[in-house]
Amino acid sequence: MINNLSREEVFRFLATSEKGLSADEAGKRLIEFGLNEIKEVRRVPLYKRFIAQFTHFLAILLWLAAGLCFLSEYFNPGEGLLSLGIAIVVVIFINALFTFIQEYRTEKAVEALKKLLPFNVKVSRAGETREIRAEHLAPGDLIMLSEGDKVPADARVIESNGLTVNNAPLTGESASSQRSHEAYEGDYFESPNIVFAGTHIVSGSGRAVVFATGMATEFGKIAHLTGGVHERLSPLQKEIIRVTKIVAVIALTTGLFFFTLGFLVGRSFWHNFIFAVGIIIANVPEGLLPTVTLSLAMGSQRMAKKKALIKNLTSVETLGSVTVICTDKTGTLTQNKMEVQQVWTMITDVGARRAVPLQLMQTAYRCNNATFDNGKYKGDPTEAAILKAAREAIGDIKAERIHEMPFDSDRKRMTTVYKAGVGEKDHPPIPPLLRGGAGEGGFFIFTKGALETVLPLCTGILAGGTIGASHESHLQMTDDYKNSIMQTYHSMMDDGLRVIAFAFKEISEGPEIESRGTARRALTDIESGLVFAGLMGLEDPPRPEVPDAIRKCREAGIRVMMITGDAGRTAVAIARQIGLVRDNPVVIQGPEMNAMTDSSLREKLESDEIIFARMTPVNKMRVVTILEDEGERVAVTGDGVNDAPALKKANIGIAMGITGTDVAREAADMVLLDDNFASIVNAIEEGRTIFENIRKFITYIFAHLTPEAIPYILFSIFKIPLPLTVMQILAIDLGTETVPALALGIEAPETGIMKRPPRPRVSALIDRQLLFRSYIFLGLISTIGVLFAYFFVLFKGGWQWGTELPTNDPLTRQAATATFLGIVILQVGNVFACRSSKDSIFRLGFFSNRLVIIGIIAEIILSAFIIYHPVGNRIFGTAPLGIDVWMLLIPFSIVLLSAEEIRKWLSRKRMAA
């Protein structure tokens, strides 16, 4: 592996040099290896996604109905079926266009993975430094890296000047790590001489040789893994398919039955055929899919206002069915910002607890590479947090640093050397007793790092005097002091803090510095005999809103599992702080999971409290896959590149919008625009509400299918005048009832909706109870009122039973118009009845949903146009009606609403018993 090679061997292995590639050689390699870009895998072209809107089951059913209309018009012209067929095709196109545009608007049109790569990068070509586009990098290129850069490709470090990287976007680990050029024999991914594409340089500078570009990088491999995940149908999509199949069977069976029945009663083929088309269309809820689409779109818009962006409309409802949320820690549950939470020294003056531990803070300030510029702290998050704590305690310090021994993974510490006396007028002086007689010409050594590497170097300890005073004193280090330090260290670690140790000393003679910044004097001389100053405990603090959000998830019966790349102890501590765990959770580390069988992992997943730490992308996908195999509906949150495969695999992926990487946002179904974990709870509530609201308007839509179909059946059996034209059916399905149905789609959440467990996996959108309530209970009541108005008009016009009237007869048109109006008026009562399946309309309030009122007004106005305007009469085959027909129908609408109120009262009484 390239990490095992020395610097000279790297140049030979990649056929390059200290000067980098020549322009010609770089061009040849670019042709050989391709552009340094991430290629999307298995992306469905836009035209295929658009075509898919015309080929789903309900669309095919409507295409069949339109085809039958065109066929009928061809063999038997003049029956008006041409305009009907055109109308159905228009319905298909409108719904397809609306759905496609809505989903396309919320989907990123650019390749998000490319955005993680820098636009330009500095490269050495034949010894000349130039700036080129990142996609033009080739293996063997020598790149320059500095603070704030994003690494453009996988590269081997050959020179490091305090070069520090943050691999959080790739690994999920919040801690930054130092890079060096030395050969490393350990694991490739842990190698300190490798920088990976998509990660960030937080401090320092360096040079590196590119050895992998584009899809060959670790970043590209994850992108390939993400692209290989197959997208599946959402629960709502499955339910819609199931519903349309049920409706299709009912419609086709009914049409075929009455087509055959027509022959038995002596009707002609074309008469029976037209009737069969009519009965099929009467049973197909053409407005169902547009209404579902519009309802989901409105739900996604409401969620966007709550800072949750939905990329796929059906994901709105999917959220409401999730049973498990697998959440990342860094940047999701936490703020991805290091803060000093605890400062500890051995100085024992209890009365001075609020005073500043002066020497500890000066050490923290001077042994630090972070900066404060334009009101912002820049650099490694840990060092920035330490600098912030020191500045707030003692202010700014002007001092001359003459040497630095940077942190590395072997030494696990950092040491700086300063001249004594320089800049001390700007801050409280270092206690005189620490000068050791060296005077103003001495030098100070400041060290910070892991306790296990700093403590063995200490022979003294700040353990006397008063904190913050000029007589802070040090004593000889003893075993008792070491034991006290270790106890405190472990205690802070148990609290989930990242603990940094600080030490210092003064020497009379500084190290001799060579031109390249290396010290001739032995490191052991510089870092030996230190005085232990104290400890700082740092924490990536939890988001303040997370505990309440997790509590709500628990009340809603949703399990929350932490899956993080960080260490187990830190993960458990954070989990306790936010209320995710209460007892002793099961903690599974990545290496441990790799050795586990699927059956063993399934047993672990049954634990009440479980945390996954040190997870790789493959580990995360494995957890999600097993949970889904066990019947769970899984939501996965995350913000890094490493989260993308699991985000794509999950039933719904949730990415962070601010701290999240573009690849995570691209893979997700939903993006939290404010990175607020609590927004997930609001989104789940919205999802549950939308599911219930869809049931409400399906009940409303299905309830009018019965009064549309039964008059047709009577027309076939008893030879009565045509009670309803197909165009009038479409006017109801796609016109008068659309706005009221949408109004039901935005009903407010029912009381206690987030106190219920997730609905069972077997829970159907349409069940027997819904079908009985809509088709039988509400449908038959509506049918009685509709038929009453129909026969009222016929008998009032002088019609006698058994008399056949042509379809263009004025009385036939008036009677059919009465049927049309009857369905509209009965649906007015029905929309109030369907606002809740349990709660009384008097409890909800007639005017609490303004869109219902607007919808009723809209359908009355549209009905008046269809009934009284000449254009409406010509298109829909209607005729004007007297006010008496309107007054006749209103009581039936009141009866329907009253009957539903009685049913709800009996239902509530039965549930309370």
Side-chain angles (χ1 to χ4, degrees):
M1 296 293 289
I2 196 168
N3 57 300
N4 297 334
L5 305 179
S6 67
R7 174 176 168 161
E8 291 72 21
E9 289 171 332
V10 170
F11 287 130
R12 288 196 297 270
F13 179 76
L14 294 171
T16 186
S17 69
E18 285 267 11
K19 296 182 179 181
L21 300 174
S22 67
D24 290 341
E25 180 63 22
K28 292 177 183 178
R29 296 191 185 189
L30 196 61
I31 294 173
E32 179 183 356
F33 295 100
L35 292 174
N36 179 35
E37 61 182 4
I38 302 300
K39 298 177 181 178
E40 293 187 4
V41 182
R42 303 175 62 90
R43 187 174 181 87
V44 180
L46 285 176
Y47 75 90
K48 288 188 177 181
R49 283 185 281 170
F50 181 65
I51 291 174
Q53 306 299 330
F54 297 92
T55 56
H56 54 76
F57 192 83
L58 185 56
I60 292 173
L61 194 62
L62 293 176
W63 280 119
L64 178 63
L68 291 175
C69 291
F70 294 137
L71 186 65
S72 301
E73 181 67 23
Y74 178 78
F75 287 107
N76 192 34
E79 296 292 337
L81 290 176
L82 177 61
S83 58
L84 174 60
I86 293 173
I88 295 175
V89 171
V90 169
V91 169
I92 297 171
F93 270 88
I94 290 175
N95 183 69
L97 284 170
F98 182 85
T99 305
F100 175 77
I101 291 172
Q102 181 65 26
E103 292 186 359
Y104 181 76
R105 285 176 59 192
T106 57
E107 184 180 289
K108 287 189 174 292
V110 295
E111 297 177 351
L113 294 175
K114 293 180 180 179
K115 290 186 177 180
L116 272 181
L117 297 178
F119 185 77
N120 291 321
V121 61
K122 289 182 179 180
V123 61
S124 177
R125 291 277 169 87
E128 180 184 344
T129 301
R130 62 178 65 178
E131 196 169 88
I132 66 171
R133 293 175 66 89
E135 58 262 36
H136 293 155
L137 281 177
D141 263 325
L142 183 61
I143 58 175
M144 285 70 173
L145 301 171
S146 58
E147 182 177 325
D149 288 346
K150 291 181 182 178
V151 180
D154 289 358
R156 168 67 155 80
V157 177
I158 61 166
E159 181 181 313
S160 172
N161 298 309
L163 185 68
T164 306
V165 298
N166 188 327
N167 288 331
L170 189 66
T171 66
E173 296 184 19
S174 58
S176 300
S177 56
Q178 194 87 16
R179 303 287 93 174
S180 71
H181 69 275
E182 301 292 339
Y184 181 74
E185 298 294 335
D187 183 71
Y188 167 75
F189 292 101
E190 299 292 333
S191 178
N193 58 27
I194 301 294
V195 288
F196 295 103
T199 59
H200 303 266
I201 307 298
V202 295
S203 64
S205 62
R207 298 190 301 162
V209 181
V210 173
F211 63 84
T213 59
M215 297 301 289
T217 64
E218 294 304 317
F219 180 90
K221 292 173 184 177
I222 291 178
H224 187 276
L225 183 64
T226 303
V229 177
H230 294 274
E231 293 186 1
R232 298 158 301 168
L233 296 176
S234 72
L236 181 60
Q237 288 172 318
K238 294 177 182 178
E239 280 296 313
I240 293 297
I241 291 174
R242 175 178 169 272
V243 169
T244 53
K245 287 181 178 179
I246 293 173
V247 169
V249 170
I250 294 173
L252 293 174
T253 302
T254 307
L256 182 62
F257 174 78
F258 286 102
F259 179 80
T260 305
L261 183 63
F263 280 111
L264 298 178
V265 297
R267 294 186 182 273
S268 67
F269 172 83
W270 285 111
H271 191 99
N272 289 331
F273 185 79
I274 293 172
F275 169 75
V277 172
I279 199 70
I280 289 173
I281 293 175
N283 277 281
V284 173
E286 292 84 2
L288 176 61
L289 201 55
T291 305
V292 170
T293 303
L294 284 167
S295 177
L296 292 175
M298 294 170 71
S300 68
Q301 291 169 4
R302 291 195 301 273
M303 292 174 70
K305 294 179 180 178
K306 298 177 181 179
K307 304 300 182 181
L309 176 65
I310 293 294
K311 294 175 57 181
N312 187 307
L313 289 182
T314 55
S315 299
V316 177
E317 182 276 336
T318 305
L319 268 169
S321 67
V322 298
T323 58
V324 177
I325 297 176
C326 295
T327 176
D328 186 32
K329 180 186 72 65
T330 305
T332 306
L333 299 175
T334 66
Q335 300 176 33
N336 200 22
K337 294 187 297 185
M338 280 288 183
E339 291 185 4
V340 175
Q341 292 293 322
Q342 187 174 345
V343 176
W344 179 89
T345 71
M346 276 296 293
I347 297 178
T348 57
D349 190 327
V350 178
R353 284 180 181 174
R354 296 186 179 181
V356 176
L358 177 62
Q359 188 55 54
L360 172 60
M361 290 302 178
Q362 291 198 37
T363 304
Y365 192 109
R366 298 195 188 196
C367 191
N368 201 310
N369 283 328
T371 60
F372 182 73
D373 185 30
N374 293 326
K376 294 182 179 179
Y377 291 92
K378 299 180 180 180
D380 175 82
T382 299
E383 292 209 323
I386 292 173
L387 178 63
K388 179 182 178 182
R391 283 189 73 254
E392 291 176 352
I394 61 175
D396 285 313
I397 297 175
K398 296 179 182 179
E400 179 185 352
R401 180 185 297 186
I402 63 171
H403 181 58
E404 173 188 341
M405 287 176 286
F407 177 93
D408 63 52
S409 58
D410 293 328
R411 297 175 62 247
K412 294 184 180 180
R413 62 182 180 271
M414 169 187 179
T415 296
T416 58
V417 181
Y418 285 82
K419 275 190 177 182
V422 178
E424 291 182 4
K425 61 181 180 298
D426 298 316
H427 58 84
I430 294 175
L433 60 90
L434 300 180
R435 295 192 179 280
E440 295 297 319
F443 297 85
F444 283 110
I445 309 297
F446 299 101
T447 299
K448 80 169 187 291
L451 180 65
E452 61 267 26
T453 68
V454 174
L455 188 57
L457 303 175
C458 297
T459 57
I461 182 171
L462 281 179
T466 303
I467 292 178
S470 62
H471 56 280
E472 285 183 354
S473 60
H474 74 278
L475 303 174
Q476 187 72 27
M477 178 67 73
T478 65
D479 288 341
D480 289 339
Y481 284 136
K482 287 183 179 181
N483 290 334
S484 296
I485 293 170
M486 293 303 298
Q487 288 177 5
T488 304
Y489 172 70
H490 288 304
S491 175
M492 294 170 74
M493 288 288 286
D494 288 339
D495 290 336
L497 301 181
R498 183 181 182 191
V499 183
I500 306 295
F502 297 86
F504 67 96
K505 75 171 181 178
E506 186 178 13
I507 57 178
S508 58
E509 181 181 353
E512 298 179 36
I513 309 301
E514 293 183 346
S515 59
R516 293 188 64 86
T518 59
R520 289 192 183 131
R521 187 169 179 175
L523 296 182
T524 54
D525 291 340
I526 296 176
E527 294 182 328
S528 63
L530 300 177
V531 178
F532 187 84
L535 302 172
M536 280 191 181
L538 296 95
E539 178 189 36
D540 182 8
R543 295 181 180 275
E545 67 278 355
V546 167
D548 186 58
I550 288 178
R551 178 186 58 80
K552 290 181 179 178
C553 286
R554 186 175 283 114
E555 290 177 350
I558 301 169
R559 296 178 66 192
V560 180
M561 297 181 182
M562 182 190 293
I563 303 181
T564 178
D566 266 344
R569 176 176 287 184
T570 302
V572 171
I574 293 294
R576 292 192 191 283
Q577 290 180 37
I578 61 178
L580 181 59
V581 298
R582 297 168 178 171
D583 300 319
N584 295 319
V586 174
V587 180
I588 299 178
Q589 304 272 2
E592 179 186 355
M593 178 187 287
N594 293 334
M596 295 174 65
T597 63
D598 285 352
S599 59
S600 298
L601 183 55
R602 284 190 175 91
E603 292 180 5
K604 295 288 186 181
L605 286 170
E606 294 177 359
S607 305
D608 292 334
E609 297 179 347
I610 185 168
I611 291 175
F612 295 92
R614 298 297 188 195
M615 292 287 105
T616 66
V618 175
N619 293 144
K620 292 186 178 184
M621 282 190 65
R622 185 181 176 197
V623 172
V624 173
T625 300
I626 291 179
L627 285 170
E628 291 179 348
D629 290 344
E630 291 297 300
E632 304 286 358
R633 289 180 176 174
V634 184
V636 173
T637 71
D639 60 355
V641 176
N642 64 312
D643 297 311
L647 290 173
K648 193 77 172 287
K649 175 67 175 174
N651 295 109
I652 181 164
I654 306 171
M656 303 297 113
I658 298 174
T659 60
T661 57
D662 288 338
V663 64
R665 292 194 289 267
E666 181 70 14
D669 301 292
M670 185 179 88
V671 179
L672 298 181
L673 300 178
D674 59 354
D675 283 14
N676 191 338
F677 184 85
S679 297
I680 298 174
V681 179
N682 296 331
I684 290 174
E685 182 178 26
E686 186 71 46
R688 291 187 175 188
T689 300
I690 285 175
F691 182 84
E692 293 300 322
N693 288 348
I694 290 175
R695 284 176 57 89
K696 292 173 185 177
F697 66 66
I698 285 178
T699 303
Y700 172 77
I701 290 172
F702 280 14
H704 83 266
L705 298 180
T706 304
E708 285 180 352
I710 289 181
Y712 255 107
I713 296 171
L714 297 178
F715 165 72
S716 175
I717 298 174
F718 298 110
K719 295 184 179 181
I720 59 177
L722 184 65
L724 195 65
T725 70
V726 177
M727 289 300 292
Q728 289 167 1
I729 292 174
L730 289 180
I732 296 169
D733 291 359
L734 300 172
T736 60
E737 71 174 17
T738 300
V739 180
L742 282 176
L744 293 174
I746 65 165
E747 278 289 329
E750 294 184 3
T751 304
I753 195 168
M754 287 301 288
K755 303 289 185 180
R756 310 172 190 170
R759 66 176 184 273
R761 194 177 183 88
V762 295
S763 177
L765 187 64
I766 296 179
D767 52 24
R768 293 179 181 177
Q769 183 180 358
L770 184 147
L771 291 174
F772 176 83
R773 182 182 173 215
S774 57
Y775 275 110
I776 307 301
F777 185 73
L778 297 172
L780 286 180
I781 295 175
S782 298
T783 302
I784 293 171
V786 166
L787 289 177
F788 194 91
Y790 167 75
F791 284 111
F792 172 80
V793 171
L794 281 178
F795 288 122
K796 182 181 178 183
W799 177 78
Q800 295 182 351
W801 192 270
T803 304
E804 292 192 24
L805 297 176
T807 56
N808 59 355
D809 185 90
L811 184 57
T812 300
R813 292 165 66 95
Q814 263 199 330
T817 304
T819 304
F820 166 79
L821 180 62
I823 294 174
V824 172
I825 297 299
L826 268 295
Q827 284 293 83
V828 172
N830 190 26
V831 72
F832 287 114
C834 292
R835 286 189 59 192
S836 174
S837 61
K838 299 174 183 177
D839 295 331
S840 169
I841 185 61
F842 296 100
R843 181 182 180 278
L844 296 174
F846 281 92
F847 302 99
S848 56
N849 187 337
R850 295 182 180 179
L851 190 57
V852 168
I853 306 302
I854 294 173
I856 292 172
I857 294 172
E859 69 176 334
I860 295 299
I861 292 174
L862 180 58
S863 299
F865 170 80
I866 292 173
I867 295 171
Y868 297 106
H869 197 280
V871 175
N873 297 157
R874 184 169 63 253
I875 295 174
F876 298 99
T878 55
L881 295 173
I883 190 66
D884 55 339
V885 180
W886 290 75
M887 300 306 296
L888 179 71
L889 287 166
I890 291 175
F892 283 99
S893 186
I894 296 173
V895 168
L896 181 144
L897 181 58
S898 300
E900 176 65 4
E901 284 294 304
I902 294 172
R903 186 202 65 79
K904 291 177 183 178
W905 178 77
L906 292 174
S907 176
R908 292 193 301 271
K909 188 176 181 180
R910 184 172 61 254
M911 291 179 63

